[in-house]
């Protein structure tokens, strides 16, 4: 297990280097000098802020040196300070000259986005598994047809549109749920419930397409497993159908789910842009969207890097969980 | 191939997808003829009118006819979908073919590149690139294309790897066929089926991404109409004008559903493996 872990960790190094290269390339995409593009979009961009950009990314040095310095900053997780928000540190808190602690922008936004993503993943697992199982067990009969229809619609529905419709329906017409923000000002006892009601719609929106995908995945996995010999044996022994389905088949069908959930993480993190900017939730997605609108390059590069690192971390956790759940992987049989 | 298409259309899923896509394609192509108004004509006497016989889908905040804008928006979403996925598919075919045919260190490098691209959250990547460029219809086509080629690459590589072991490929190799002949005459035509399926499914997600970007104001720029940016107005006027939100959303939903149904239907018919399980 330890050897497997080390091997897996070692694999992350080339990926991290690759991510740093891709993000470096993106910075240099802008025609000419990024200081020009910034200036051409923002009439207020002064010579001073251009100078700051040049210093931050060392634009006066040779490309190789620039990349080396960028890599060094990435390793130290130093993404500089925001242009737009009064010099706030992009990633983590720092102390200013008078010793006051200034919170980092990502530091404040990240927990919110993580909370939404964890809740979405929870929703996906708790709803998708039963849907997929029912669909497989009733293959080609009405329940399966209905679930398949739901899956196709879940794939096709634009999240931001559904968000608008639900906001209108639950917030404007019926006043069931709050339509934006994460909590109102109130006493501590109601705060948790309040945060949950604020997060209900965003979690549903960001989890929906994953939910559709995973229930289809469970359905197909179950159909594969249900046709295998050991299931026939279990039935022949006279086991109850529920035992066969839930204890024998589902366990095997759920194994690949771990990997798939790991792969769903970049989609969830990326999808947070739409859900968070519609519902005005101050998470990573909203922060990123605002940074893009204001061309706040340090924030953009910081979130891009941290988002990718989180994805790698998610995949790593998924692989470890898989190795833990499936002894064949752990012992290197597969 | 023609036979396969006919077979595919006998599949109810694929057929319904095909009908949806075909009708939208027709409406988009005929937009200049069908559209009752100029999509960009501002009419201050007709602001935010609900749907009626004069304005089938009502008017927006500037008095423009929503039905006409929807028709021209259909052109945009189809154009973006096809060109973006065309770019992605071309990149995917080239890289996947190189990777699967030559194997060795080229394969390792290309596959690691795929891994890297897959570990950057796609929507963040797209937005980051757009932040450094000007948002315009051409830029978003290129950006979506350049950030969505990884799936096709893996697919083509896997096809090539499995084709390499087949007898007809080995026979041709033994006869001394050159690399280009091997790739273009023997292997690529035999990988077309999954490429086609992934193209159709790719258009579906490109349409979703484009509408999302335009909705956020980072895609197709007004006054040019796109379903996404009509919805931006819809959000603005959600309390007074439901028609601005309803129609574009339904249009996106139907289009994406159509491509997905067509893609899945094609996969069912063309891929012998899934035929057994369903």
């Amino acid at each position: 297990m330890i050897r497997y872990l080390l091997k897996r960790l070692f694999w992350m190094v080339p990926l991290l280097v690759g991510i740093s290269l891709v993000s470096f390339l993106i910075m240099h995409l802008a025609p000419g000098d990024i200081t020009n593009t910034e200036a051409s979009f923002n009439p207020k961009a002064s010579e001073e802020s251009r100078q700051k950009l040049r210093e931050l990314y060392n634009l006066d040095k040779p490309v190789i040196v620039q990349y080396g310095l960028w890599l060094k900053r990435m390793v130290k997780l130093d993404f500089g300070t925001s242009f737009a928000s009064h010099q706030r540190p992009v990633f983590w808190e720092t102390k200013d000259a008078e010793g006051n602690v200034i919170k980092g922008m990502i530091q404040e936004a990240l927990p919110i986005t993580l909370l939404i993503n964890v809740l979405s993943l929870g929703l996906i697992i708790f709803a998708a598994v039963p849907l997929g199982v029912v669909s497989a067990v009733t293959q080609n009969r009405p329940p399966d047809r209905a679930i398949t229809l739901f899956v196709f619609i879940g794939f096709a529905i634009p999240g931001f549109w559904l968000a608008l419709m639900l906001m209108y329906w639950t917030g404007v017409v019926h006043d069931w749920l709050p339509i934006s923000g994460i909590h109102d000002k109130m006493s501590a006892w109601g705060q948790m419930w309040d945060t949950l009601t604020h997060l209900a719609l965003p979690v549903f929106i960001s989890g929906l397409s994953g939910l559709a995908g995973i229930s289809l995945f469970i359905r197909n996995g179950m159909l594969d497993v249900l046709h295998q010999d050991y299931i026939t044996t279990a039935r022949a022994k006279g086991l109850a159908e529920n035992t066969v389905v839930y204890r024998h088949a589902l366990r095997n069908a759920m194994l690949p789910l771990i990997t798939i959930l790991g792969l769903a993480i970049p989609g969830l993190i990326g999808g947070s842009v739409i859900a968070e900017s519609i519902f005005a939730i101050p998470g990573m997605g909203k922060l990123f969207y605002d940074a893009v609108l204001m061309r706040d390059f340090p924030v953009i590069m910081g979130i891009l890097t941290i988002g990718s690192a989180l994805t790698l971390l998610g995949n790593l956790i998924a692989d470890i969980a898989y190795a833990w759940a499936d002894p064949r992987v752990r012992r290197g049989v597969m | 191939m023609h036979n396969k298409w006919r077979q595919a259309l006998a599949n109810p899923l694929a057929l319904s997808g095909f009908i949806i896509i075909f009708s939208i394609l027709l409406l988009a192509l005929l937009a200049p003829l069908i559209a009752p108004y100029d999509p960009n004509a501002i009419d201050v006497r007709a602001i935010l009118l609900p749907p009626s016989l004069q304005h089938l889908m009502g008017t927006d905040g500037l008095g423009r006819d929503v039905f006409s804008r929807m028709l021209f928006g259909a052109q945009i979403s189809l154009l973006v979908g096809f060109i973006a996925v065309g770019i992605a598919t071309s990149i995917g075919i080239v890289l996947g073919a190189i990777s699967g045919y030559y194997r060795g260190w080229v394969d390792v490098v290309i596959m690691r590149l795929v891994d890297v691209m897959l570990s950057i959250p796609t929507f963040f990547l797209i937005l980051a690139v757009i932040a450094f460029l000007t948002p315009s219809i051409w830029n978003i086509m290129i950006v979506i294309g350049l950030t969505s080629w990884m799936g096709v690459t893996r697919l083509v590589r896997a096809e090539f790897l499995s084709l390499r072991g087949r007898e007809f490929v080995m026979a041709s190799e033994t006869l001394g066929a050159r690399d280009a002949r091997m790739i273009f005459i023997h292997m690529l035509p035999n990988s077309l089926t999954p490429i086609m399926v992934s193209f159709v499914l790719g258009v579906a997600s490109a349409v979703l991404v484009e509408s999302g970007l335009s909705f956020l104001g980072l895609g197709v720029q007004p006054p040019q109409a796109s379903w996404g940016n009509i919805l931006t107005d819809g959000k603005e006027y959600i309390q007074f004008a439901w028609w601005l939100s309803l129609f574009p959303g339904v249009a996106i939903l139907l289009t994406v559903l159509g491509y997905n149904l067509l893609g899945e239907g094609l996969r069912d018919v063309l891929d012998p493996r899934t035929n057994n399980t369903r």
Side-chain angles (χ1 to χ4, degrees), chain A residues 281-304:
Chain A
I281 292 168
M284 295 273 275
K286 176 89 167 61
L287 186 62
F288 192 72
Y289 175 61
D290 292 342
V292 167
L293 287 185
M294 291 186 283
R295 287 166 210 279
D296 194 344
F297 295 117
V299 178
I300 294 175
M301 300 316 295
I303 297 185
L304 197 61

Side-chain angles (χ1 to χ4, degrees), chain B residues 9-247:
Chain B
L9 293 183
N11 175 311
L13 277 186
L15 182 65
S16 46
F18 181 79
I19 291 173
I20 296 175
I21 296 307
F22 187 74
S23 342
I24 293 173
L25 215 79
L26 210 63
L27 286 173
L29 288 178
L30 298 178
L33 300 176
I34 316 174
Y37 297 86
D38 175 350
N40 294 327
I42 294 172
D43 184 352
V44 283
R45 289 157 305 170
I47 286 174
L48 293 178
L49 293 180
S52 64
L53 280 179
Q54 277 79 42
H55 297 281
L56 285 177
M57 297 182 178
T59 61
D60 68 5
L62 295 172
R64 295 173 297 192
D65 180 52
V66 176
F67 180 59
S68 309
R69 291 182 72 69
M70 291 287 296
L71 288 173
F72 283 90
Q75 290 185 339
I76 298 292
S77 85
L78 292 172
L79 197 67
V80 173
F82 276 88
I83 294 185
V85 180
I87 295 173
T89 309
S90 318
I91 299 176
I93 289 177
V94 171
L95 291 183
I98 293 175
S99 209
Y101 186 81
Y102 292 104
R103 292 171 288 187
W105 65 270
V106 195
D107 180 32
V108 174
V109 171
I110 293 178
M111 282 306 111
R112 286 298 82 75
L113 182 64
V114 167
D115 288 345
V116 166
M117 293 293 288
L118 284 177
S119 56
I120 304 178
T122 320
F123 209 69
F124 278 9
L125 189 62
I126 292 174
L127 285 182
V129 177
I130 284 173
F132 286 88
L133 302 167
T134 0
S136 77
I137 176 165
W138 300 106
N139 279 341
I140 58 167
M141 283 175 191
I142 296 170
V143 172
I144 296 175
L146 289 181
T147 50
S148 56
W149 48 268
M150 292 80 80
V152 199
T153 308
R154 280 191 169 167
L155 193 94
V156 173
R157 172 180 177 268
E159 284 296 311
F160 269 52
L161 284 179
S162 82
L163 282 172
R164 274 232 108 161
R166 297 272 292 276
E167 278 167 8
F168 74 95
V169 173
M170 287 199 264
S172 154
E173 197 175 10
T174 322
L175 288 174
R178 263 177 282 147
D179 288 356
R181 188 180 168 80
M182 293 284 292
I183 292 176
F184 292 108
I185 307 288
H186 293 302
M187 297 168 83
L188 201 51
N190 278 297
S191 330
L192 277 185
T193 305
I195 294 177
M196 223 162 60
V197 172
S198 95
F199 187 94
V200 175
L201 295 177
V203 175
S205 61
V207 168
L208 267 183
V209 171
E210 180 273 324
S211 60
L213 286 173
S214 301
F215 173 72
L216 291 174
L218 298 169
V220 177
Q221 296 297 302
Q224 191 166 33
S226 93
W227 293 340
N229 70 27
I230 299 175
L231 270 171
T232 316
D233 267 9
K235 186 189 175 201
E236 195 87 6
Y237 296 112
I238 187 141
Q239 314 208 16
F240 332 103
W242 52 269
W243 55 93
L244 276 178
S245 301
L246 182 72
F247 296 118

Side-chain angles (χ1 to χ4, degrees), chain A residues 45-219:
Chain A
S46 58
E47 185 51 40
E48 185 197 358
S49 74
R50 286 194 224 176
Q51 191 56 42
K52 245 188 294 174
L53 257 180
R54 275 193 213 112
E55 268 166 33
L56 182 62
Y57 296 125
N58 303 292
L59 294 176
D60 44 355
K61 302 207 171 72
V63 177
I64 298 285
V65 179
Q66 281 182 38
Y67 175 66
L69 290 169
W70 166 242
L71 198 61
K72 199 173 140 197
R73 303 171 65 99
M74 263 187 65
V75 171
K76 291 198 297 188
L77 290 173
D78 166 20
F79 299 102
T81 55
S82 159
F83 289 163
S85 306
H86 308 289
Q87 305 290 310
R88 286 185 63 193
V90 171
F91 182 58
W92 211 254
E93 63 192 22
T94 49
K95 282 198 177 123
D96 65 4
E98 286 124 45
N100 301 319
V101 174
I102 311 171
K103 290 260 184 199
M105 297 171 86
I106 294 178
Q107 182 189 8
E108 282 188 337
L110 190 56
I112 299 167
T113 301
L114 284 183
L115 177 65
I116 295 181
N117 283 341
V118 167
L119 290 175
S120 301
L121 277 177
L123 172 77
I124 289 174
I125 296 171
F126 279 102
V129 171
L131 282 179
V133 171
V134 169
S135 200
V137 173
T138 61
Q139 187 188 6
N140 293 337
R141 293 206 305 272
D144 177 34
R145 298 269 187 229
I147 292 171
T148 307
L149 181 71
F150 163 78
V151 164
F152 270 101
I153 290 179
F155 270 140
I157 204 159
F160 55 94
W161 177 65
L162 186 64
L164 273 184
M165 293 286 121
L166 287 177
M167 241 165 104
Y168 181 66
W169 188 249
T170 62
V172 180
V173 178
H174 291 290
D175 197 23
W176 287 333
L177 290 172
I179 60 172
S180 67
I182 51 168
H183 44 69
D184 301 320
K185 295 237 180 319
M186 60 160 66
S187 61
W189 61 269
Q191 198 133 77
M192 210 172 100
W193 172 249
D194 187 53
T195 306
L196 282 182
T197 55
H198 275 88
L199 291 183
L201 286 181
V203 165
F204 177 70
I205 298 291
S206 55
L208 183 65
S209 77
L211 175 63
I214 304 250
S215 56
L216 187 65
F217 180 82
I218 295 272
R219 171 187 187 268

